[in-house]
Every structure is written in structure tokens, then in C-alpha cells.
Amino acid sequence: MWIITLTGALLVITYFYLRGTDLEAYDEPRGQSFDAGSGPSEAHRAVVDSLRAGSSMMRQGSGPERLARLRDYMDGVSESQAYSAKITPTNANGVPAEWVLAQSADPARRALYLHGGAFIAGSPKSHRNITSRFSEVTGAAVLAIDYRLMPEHRRLEGMDDCRTAYRWLLDNGPNGAGDADRLYVGGDSAGGNLTLALLAWIRDQGLRQVDAAVALSPLTDSTFGSDSLRRNLETDVMLAPMLRPLLKIPRPLLWWANWLRNRVPPSDARVSPVFGNLANLPPTLVQVSEAEVLEDDGRRYVNRAVAAGSPAQLQSWGHVVHVWQMFYPELPEACQAWDEIEAFIRSTDDQKITEQAA
């Protein structure tokens, strides 16, 4: 009898506590698409070739060796890219960080940027091409933080660093203490996940909310529930090599493994913001590729946020790689994406000015 009871309890926990709700109802509408039907640019084909070569290199050696190689590879990306922003190391109340200021940046405008890297890699250094461009389009001083990574730390510890840094950013800029005129937050992939989770936390804490948020190819569902995880597995040259072995494992086992490793169920809104309360959130722009495995993660988040009354919008590109915005300015598709981000920021600024004048 106890075996039956235990089995029943495990099934209840697995399918009602770890899995999360069915989100297929939020697969439509599909948002604004920038697929002109012309196919990828020559520059994009070169990016794909480079990623495939890098992926082959990452599969060599033991697990720790591959992780070290991945981290070195990502940090080395910025060394081959040109950016004109001023980089200044800082400390955000115990969280290592750096200020990134474009020549046009106003220190009274501030932004927090949370890098991607699957929660196991990436750093402010690896994302300087993105953070310098984010500083340009927002006109803000960008605080890029070096949050704690897995597997050395649990996932929620990295999230705690994001929260600590945001509290610090409210009262501190690159020139010292003081309030900010404007506040923004952005992130890509895993950093997009942290960005969207942070918005809900800011609201629930009653803190000053950001004026706008940008999430690039964000992970929003840690239960592996999005259909695009399998539908786009053959077209996502960046994430597929990492995900393909995981997707061979039954999802319930992945749920349990994540829960035991991180001490938080994968359906928890702290790690899967798509399952959370998405009401009363700031203007949010989500950009995804229609060829990446996280396509549905972004779409479902935006559709749920809009259904909850929050001003979110989705933009998608037809063929580009995951977080293609990092290949600015060489990639025409990246230039177009950044133009849209800048237009979004300007529209939220105009709305803010109108509200203040009313």
C-alpha cells in the first residue's frame, strides 16, 4: 500500500508542481515579423560557419574542460569586436560589475544589463559589444554585472546578485550617488530570463520600476515545455548542440533534476517568468528568431503579458541565430534589430514625457 501511496504522491508532485500549466493557448498571435523572404545575408552565413566550428571545439574534453573552454571562448568574443564605449570597473554592493558608457550616454540615465550564457558562462566582458550598443540606443550608462554562475553556485544565487545590483543602481550612477532620470533593464537568453523575472520582483517589492525593458531571445520556461525546442532543433546552430542530449531525457526526469539541483521547481516564476503574474509590468520588448529553439518562450511570455494588461510586444526575424544582436554592426539583421530597440526606447521616453506633462 505504501508503494502505491508513494507513487501517487510522486506523480502528483511531478505533474502538478514541477510541470507548470499548459501554455499552448498563448502561441498566437505571432507578433511583428521582419522576415522579408530574402533569406540570410552573406554575413549571417559567415556567422553560422563560425558558430559551427566553435561548437565542434566545445565538444572536446571532459565536462569541466568544456565549461572552461566555453567561458574562455565567450570572453574572447569581445576582443575581436569593435566598440567605442568607455569601460569602468565597479562594485554594485558586493556584485562585481562594470560601467559601460557610450560617447552619447547621459550618466543621469541608467540601465542594468544581464548577460546570457545558459547560467553557466558569460560575463560583462563577453557582452561588451551588446552593452556598448545598449548604452548608445538608451543614451544611458549601462551597469553590466558579473552575477554568480552555475554549477559553482545555485541559480537563485545569480538572481540574488541581479536584485542586489538593481537596488544599488537605484541610488548610484557612474559619477556617484544620486537618483536616475530614466531606468532601463535588458538581457539576452539566460539574461533575458533574469530580466523578466526581475521585473516581477521589482513590482512585488514596491521599488521604482524601470521605464522600459528589452529581452533578447529570452528563456522564459524552464520546464522545457515550448514546442519550438523540438521544432527548431535542426535550425538553431547555437543552442542545439547543448540541448540535443538533454531533449533525449524524459521531461519528468529533467524537472526532478532541476528541482534537486537548484532547490526550486522548474515551474516556479522565479526561474520560469512565463508562469508568473504578468500584470502591471513596464513596457517590454522581446525579440526572437523564428529559427531558434526559444522562439515560443518569447512569444508565450509576450502573449501572456498582453493578456494580463501589460504593454509587451514581440518582434521576430525569420532565419537568424540565437541572440544575433551580438553581431552588430557586421550583421545587417543585427543593425535592423538595434534600430527597432532604439525606436522602442524612444517611444517609451516620449510616453513618459507626455505622462509627466499631463
Side-chain angles (χ1 to χ4, degrees):
M1 179 62 70
W2 67 269
I3 295 179
I4 297 176
T5 302
L6 177 60
T7 301
L10 290 174
L11 289 174
V12 169
I13 293 172
T14 300
Y15 288 97
F16 292 96
Y17 182 58
L18 302 182
R19 180 181 60 174
T21 56
D22 187 347
L23 298 175
E24 288 186 3
Y26 297 97
D27 286 338
E28 300 291 344
R30 304 184 70 83
Q32 183 182 12
S33 176
F34 290 84
D35 182 10
S38 58
S41 64
E42 287 298 323
H44 186 270
R45 294 187 180 94
V47 166
V48 170
D49 291 341
S50 175
L51 289 173
R52 283 175 173 159
S55 174
S56 177
M57 180 184 66
M58 296 302 160
R59 291 196 292 268
Q60 301 173 9
S62 65
E65 290 173 339
R66 291 196 300 271
L67 179 57
R69 195 177 295 116
L70 173 62
R71 290 176 176 177
D72 289 342
Y73 175 81
M74 290 189 66
D75 277 353
V77 168
S78 64
E79 296 175 356
S80 62
Q81 295 175 316
Y83 52 88
S84 59
K86 178 183 177 182
I87 309 295
T88 305
T90 190
N91 186 294
N93 195 26
V95 180
E98 62 184 30
W99 285 110
V100 183
L101 280 87
Q103 293 180 355
S104 59
D106 179 357
R109 298 166 65 96
R110 298 176 203 154
L112 176 65
Y113 194 85
L114 308 174
H115 69 78
F119 305 103
I120 62 173
S123 69
K125 181 180 179 181
S126 69
H127 281 62
R128 284 175 181 166
N129 179 273
I130 287 182
T131 54
S132 66
R133 185 61 181 147
F134 197 51
S135 180
E136 290 175 352
V137 301
T138 58
V142 173
L143 181 70
I145 68 169
D146 199 6
Y147 59 84
R148 284 172 286 182
L149 299 174
M150 298 167 54
E152 295 89 344
H153 305 279
R154 290 203 174 103
R155 189 159 158 187
L156 292 186
E157 291 177 313
M159 183 175 296
D160 286 342
D161 291 341
C162 300
R163 295 172 174 178
T164 297
Y166 184 76
R167 285 187 181 275
W168 185 83
L169 183 67
L170 291 174
D171 301 318
N172 297 274
N175 296 333
D179 295 334
D181 289 345
R182 292 285 189 274
L183 281 170
Y184 311 99
V185 63
D188 62 281
S189 195
N193 173 282
L194 293 168
T195 293
L196 299 176
L198 184 67
L199 297 179
W201 175 82
I202 294 169
R203 176 201 60 203
D204 295 342
Q205 293 295 308
L207 299 174
R208 175 183 171 181
Q209 185 61 273
V210 299
D211 297 297
V214 177
L216 312 178
S217 299
L219 167 72
T220 70
D221 180 359
S222 295
T223 72
F224 299 91
S226 294
D227 291 341
S228 57
L229 284 174
R230 290 164 176 81
R231 184 180 69 247
N232 292 344
L233 193 62
E234 298 306 317
T235 56
D236 191 328
V237 297
M238 187 180 294
L239 295 184
M242 179 186 301
L243 282 174
R244 190 171 281 111
L246 288 177
L247 294 179
K248 294 179 180 179
I249 302 172
R251 283 180 64 202
L253 293 182
L254 291 175
W255 300 336
W256 278 95
N258 285 338
W259 187 25
L260 295 174
R261 172 65 183 85
N262 295 303
R263 300 296 191 269
V264 58
S267 61
D268 191 298
R270 290 173 294 176
V271 296
S272 290
V274 72
F275 291 119
N277 173 13
L278 303 187
N280 302 313
L281 295 177
T284 302
L285 173 65
V286 175
Q287 292 184 340
V288 298
S289 166
E290 295 168 20
E292 68 172 324
V293 294
L294 296 182
E295 177 191 6
D296 287 345
D297 277 51
R299 176 178 297 115
R300 289 175 173 182
Y301 178 89
V302 168
N303 288 337
R304 278 210 72 225
V306 170
S310 293
Q313 55 183 286
L314 177 73
Q315 295 178 342
S316 64
W317 274 255
H319 56 263
V320 289
V321 298
H322 176 68
V323 194
W324 70 99
Q325 299 88 345
M326 72 173 66
F327 299 104
Y328 174 90
E330 292 81 10
L331 203 60
E333 296 91 339
C335 295
Q336 186 181 36
W338 280 113
D339 287 345
E340 291 298 322
I341 294 171
E342 184 171 19
F344 167 72
I345 294 295
R346 296 292 169 259
S347 69
T348 60
D349 283 351
D350 291 344
Q351 181 179 356
K352 187 80 171 182
I353 292 172
T354 300
E355 292 174 351
Q356 290 174 340

